[in-house]
Amino acid sequence: MVGGTGKRKRFTSAKTERFSESVIREMTRLAMEHDAINLAQGFPDFAAPEELKQAARRAITEDVNQYAITWGAKNLRDAIARRMNETQRLEVDPETEITVCCGSTEAMIASLLATTDAGDEIVVFEPFYENYGPDAILSGARPRFVALHPPADDGGEWTFDEKELRAAFGPRTKAIVLNTPNNPTGKVFTRSELEFIRDLCLEHDALAVTDEIYEHILYDGAEHVSMARIDGMRGRTITINGMSKTYSVTGWRVGWAVAPPALSGAIRKVHDFLTVGAPAPLQEAGVAALALPSAYYRRLAEEYRARRDRLLPALRQAGFVAYTPRGAYYIMTDIRSFGFADDRAFAMHLVRDVGVAVVPGSSFYDDPADGAHQVRFAFSKRDETLDEAASRLRTLRGRPRRTRG
Ligand SMILES: Cc1ncc(COP(=O)(O)O)c(C=O)c1O
């Protein structure tokens, strides 16, 4: 018996109808199902630093097992402020400007919920880290996408067209969401590009929300410049970062948003009611992580460079156009030479028949057609994993095409 008007209610919200399950995590499930090497999801398959693991164990033994202060344990906020000063010469007040969240994922959605209302617009470079799409839907903001254009040759840089970026800004623009070093392209935004973006933010009275989670994973002399360091931007930037990538602990779920006090106040309110707080003992381990010496960060970047340089030639030999990343740990590729109908058909062939899982390029674009000729590889993996993937990919050219998607 259906009550009242006799019409059934739809129990799921209209918001959730507008986005689908994460393609990246779906590919991880398929990788397990087909016993494929998972170069889809960007998590390391190697150990985290011993110092962190010890610190986490110690914290639990010492009964750091209850809620931390909702916006983050004081010693972790102090450590974050210290580190931002060391790396970017930014003065940050840990009492009023830092919110520790459950990963930078939560920091991003909390920041957008805290700053945007229905009718506001956010500018997002495309291809984009797939979360930003659902983040926009959940927060009610309308995304305006601006293309990052692939380089003409596979050693060049991804670029944006200044005119296209300018056209995306308008009276309703509340913020630009920026990710540098960038997933999936590997682009590292230069100071002059950031200054151009700054000029637009000032002209249109807009915020910058910058996801800097790959700040230490840089190649070929690329320098990471925080948007908050660009003249005029400190007061209108939310800087997002976290432990996942820098310390190889993606499952710990500790990240943070750094913003001027009024913005942090709003972010803290959202965060409190979303999750109350990030895992308390792992915040303590974060203090140990942020105290690692500079040699740790040099080694991290060097090891990732070696992994990049292991996978890149293997992809090119297998027939991909593979764009050289300057940062982060992904390689975006062009797959047109393989002659498949689209990226999903090709990714399904790779995971089922070749035994390598990748992310279809369409999941990084608003209009799937725009990414239908690309797939993304993650190389945050041990040498053995990358070599096995390379050896499987060598069989790609000779394989019969499956017609089923
Ligand atoms: C650009 C970007 N931001 C955020 C995340 C997620 O970070 P966290 O584990 O801190 O939530 C990822 C993970 O792949 C990412 O690539």
Side-chain angles (χ1 to χ4, degrees):
M1 170 66 197
V2 180
T5 62
K7 260 177 59 191
R8 291 200 75 121
K9 280 182 188 148
R10 188 179 62 191
F11 288 151
T12 53
S13 70
K15 289 194 288 286
T16 63
E17 302 293 325
R18 290 177 52 209
F19 58 91
S20 54
E21 181 200 20
S22 156
V23 176
I24 297 179
R25 290 177 275 288
E26 181 194 341
M27 289 310 296
T28 288
R29 263 207 323 281
L30 284 171
M32 295 202 284
E33 197 178 310
H34 294 279
D35 202 20
I37 298 193
N38 187 358
L39 300 191
Q41 199 170 4
F43 62 82
D45 70 348
F46 42 84
E50 197 47 46
E51 294 91 325
L52 274 73
K53 295 192 281 190
Q54 274 172 16
R57 285 194 290 269
R58 199 168 46 242
I60 291 178
T61 305
E62 290 173 2
D63 260 322
V64 184
N65 291 317
Q66 311 310 329
Y67 303 122
I69 298 172
T70 178
W71 49 83
K74 176 168 165 47
N75 51 356
L76 178 57
R77 283 181 284 116
D78 288 347
I80 294 165
R82 233 182 354 258
R83 183 102 200 114
M84 287 184 79
N85 190 261
E86 281 163 15
T87 56
Q88 296 289 322
R89 299 267 157 268
L90 282 164
E91 293 283 342
V92 169
D93 180 357
E95 293 311 317
T96 57
E97 296 191 295
I98 298 177
T99 309
V100 177
C101 295
C102 295
S104 53
T105 298
E106 194 223 334
M108 177 59 78
I109 183 84
S111 297
L112 292 180
L113 286 168
T115 54
T116 60
D117 291 303
D120 289 339
E121 291 181 356
I122 54 174
V123 177
V124 180
F125 284 108
E126 184 181 54
F128 53 87
Y129 172 55
E130 65 166 356
N131 282 31
Y132 302 157
D135 285 350
I137 292 167
L138 291 171
S139 60
R142 178 166 166 256
R144 298 281 306 262
F145 296 103
V146 176
L148 287 176
H149 300 285
D153 66 88
D154 52 19
E157 310 295 333
W158 290 71
T159 50
F160 61 85
D161 181 311
E162 294 186 350
K163 284 204 255 350
E164 287 172 11
L165 182 60
R166 175 173 289 286
F169 276 75
R172 289 176 177 275
T173 307
K174 196 63 168 289
I176 178 166
V177 173
L178 188 73
N179 169 218
T180 183
N182 184 259
N183 170 11
T185 64
K187 178 179 174 61
V188 178
F189 283 75
T190 63
R191 178 178 282 279
S192 69
E193 287 173 327
L194 296 176
E195 285 171 352
F196 183 80
I197 295 168
R198 181 264 323 269
D199 292 346
L200 290 174
C201 287
L202 295 180
E203 196 180 315
H204 295 276
D205 195 18
L207 297 167
V209 186
T210 71
D211 180 340
E212 303 186 4
I213 185 151
Y214 298 102
E215 72 170 319
H216 293 292
I217 302 176
L218 298 164
Y219 315 112
D220 310 330
E223 189 201 354
H224 171 65
V225 182
S226 267
M227 184 52 122
R229 228 172 96 189
I230 300 292
D231 270 353
M233 287 307 286
R234 174 69 174 85
R236 56 176 70 239
T237 299
I238 302 175
T239 308
I240 289 174
N241 213 322
M243 290 178 63
S244 284
K245 313 289 174 170
T246 306
Y247 306 107
S248 309
V249 287
T250 58
W252 283 17
R253 316 308 306 131
V254 180
W256 46 86
V258 180
L263 284 171
S264 285
I267 295 167
R268 286 175 173 192
K269 280 195 288 185
V270 175
H271 158 72
D272 189 6
F273 290 108
L274 277 178
T275 63
V276 180
L282 303 181
Q283 292 193 44
E284 293 304 317
V287 178
L290 288 155
L292 286 170
S294 53
Y296 171 80
Y297 301 95
R298 278 200 301 279
R299 200 176 65 235
L300 179 82
E302 175 48 30
E303 287 174 353
Y304 270 113
R305 188 206 51 75
R307 292 182 190 110
R308 178 195 69 165
D309 293 349
R310 208 172 184 96
L311 189 60
L312 257 182
L315 295 180
R316 289 178 182 151
Q317 271 157 27
F320 292 88
V321 174
Y323 302 111
T324 307
R326 302 290 172 225
Y329 52 53
Y330 306 95
I331 300 173
M332 196 63 152
T333 64
D334 188 309
I335 57 167
R336 273 176 284 202
S337 74
F338 296 105
F340 274 72
D342 63 21
D343 57 325
R344 282 195 82 97
F346 183 67
M348 290 313 288
H349 170 61
L350 276 186
V351 71
R352 284 185 190 150
D353 306 327
V354 178
V356 177
V358 297
V359 181
S362 52
S363 59
F364 303 103
Y365 289 83
D366 182 46
D367 179 351
D370 291 339
H373 59 290
Q374 295 174 330
V375 300
R376 187 201 74 177
F377 289 81
F379 58 86
S380 51
K381 310 293 168 185
R382 285 173 290 142
D383 288 353
E384 306 87 276
T385 315
L386 296 175
D387 289 348
E388 178 57 28
S391 132
R392 293 183 185 194
L393 289 168
R394 272 197 288 278
T395 66
L396 184 57
R397 281 265 185 227
R399 287 202 169 239
R401 283 261 316 271
R402 287 169 67 112
T403 45
R404 228 156 29 90

